Amino acid sequence: EGAALSHRLPLPPLRPGEELRIALSWEEPLGVLSAWLPERGRLLAVPALGPAPPLRASAGATLTRGAGAGVAWAALSALAVAVSLLVAVAEAAGAPAREALAWHRDAPAQVWRCWSAAFVHVTALHLGANLAGAVLLGALGWQARLPVVAAGAWALAWPFTQALLWLASQPDRYLGLSGVLHAGVAVAAVMLLVRPGPGWRSLGAALAVGLLVKLVLEAPWRGAVQASADWDFPVAVGAHAAGAVAGALSAALQLAIHAQWAAAVSPRR
């Protein structure tokens, strides 16, 4: 996959012995082409939306590709796994982590529970399923090289997912990583849908359709918390829907912010 990038840079004439440096830095979905003279400072920044084009360095040009793509996303997934395991160990040792960290409807002032609730689980099966999901989602982001902006959207959706639960009548208490995982899938789907290239867009569409089908089959409108023969605990399907909404909105917000930034730094003609 590649994309052509062509910009006409209105640069001033060079002085005798003066060096011009051109750099292309790319952190999807936003890339910035910069040209500057060391003695005069930065002259021009040209943003563009899309995937990183194939980089071919020419004489006098320094080309760098976004090295952090996928790293922040994988790190966020690893954080979820590590802290969840630590909380599980603490609970096994007798610490009252569940009540201390779970989200409670009647405790709106304790907003930190919107983050901490994701790290607590009801049973070993609950923990194992969510850890497996976190690992798979982290691997997806790493392989797809999801940008830092995607990790930022997922991080924003984390507390947003639990906060949306206050809009429904159930549950009274919530704990677990599944809502946040649904948010991550929604973020990945949106980011891949706007990435040029049929392969990435097809993957984004598949994620979006799969997520939507899952939510429809769970039918959260029949009850935000439902018993299931497949699990040894009540399933908070309402949190799954909340996570999907939070993830999609957070991704859209991040993309809008980057688009505004792109417009702000674009050269005016």
Side-chain angles (χ1 to χ4, degrees):
E1 180 187 55
L5 179 64
S6 176
H7 285 290
R8 181 172 295 175
L9 305 179
L11 299 175
L14 294 180
R15 298 167 185 166
E18 193 171 28
E19 180 185 14
L20 171 67
R21 295 180 183 176
I22 298 176
L24 174 63
S25 61
W26 210 279
E27 185 62 60
E28 295 177 6
L30 191 65
V32 178
L33 177 65
S34 302
W36 71 92
L37 301 174
E39 296 179 0
R40 304 191 213 178
R42 182 157 154 165
L43 296 176
L44 183 66
V46 181
L49 293 176
L55 305 181
R56 295 183 177 87
S58 58
T62 303
L63 301 179
T64 58
R65 189 164 185 158
V71 176
W73 182 278
L76 190 56
S77 175
L79 175 68
V81 170
V83 178
S84 295
L85 287 173
L86 286 175
V87 170
V89 170
E91 274 218 308
R98 188 173 302 176
E99 286 305 314
L101 301 177
W103 177 87
H104 288 274
R105 179 174 300 279
D106 58 358
Q110 299 174 352
V111 293
W112 47 269
R113 291 180 181 271
C114 291
W115 282 270
S116 63
F119 300 126
V120 196
H121 294 83
V122 182
T123 66
L125 178 60
H126 188 203
L127 174 65
N130 280 342
L131 293 187
V135 170
L136 290 174
L137 191 56
L140 168 66
W142 176 265
Q143 290 295 323
R145 292 180 58 80
L146 290 178
V148 173
V149 66
W154 190 15
L156 176 63
W158 192 305
F160 190 16
T161 296
Q162 276 68 245
L164 285 177
L165 298 178
W166 273 303
L167 299 180
S169 59
Q170 287 183 310
D172 294 325
R173 187 184 71 158
Y174 174 72
L175 60 163
L177 194 58
S178 59
V180 173
L181 294 179
H182 283 72
V185 173
V187 170
V190 171
M191 292 294 173
L192 292 174
L193 280 170
V194 300
R195 179 185 290 182
W200 293 120
R201 286 177 174 168
S202 297
L203 177 57
L207 287 174
V209 171
L211 181 59
L212 182 60
V213 169
K214 181 179 185 295
L215 295 176
V216 170
L217 292 176
E218 289 180 338
W221 54 87
R222 296 178 183 169
V225 180
Q226 300 177 12
S228 172
D230 298 325
W231 303 101
D232 57 354
F233 55 88
V235 180
V237 295
H240 299 171
V245 171
L249 291 178
S250 297
L253 176 62
Q254 289 279 30
L255 289 173
I257 291 173
H258 274 268
Q260 289 293 322
W261 184 87
V265 301
S266 293
R268 299 186 179 184
R269 302 182 185 276

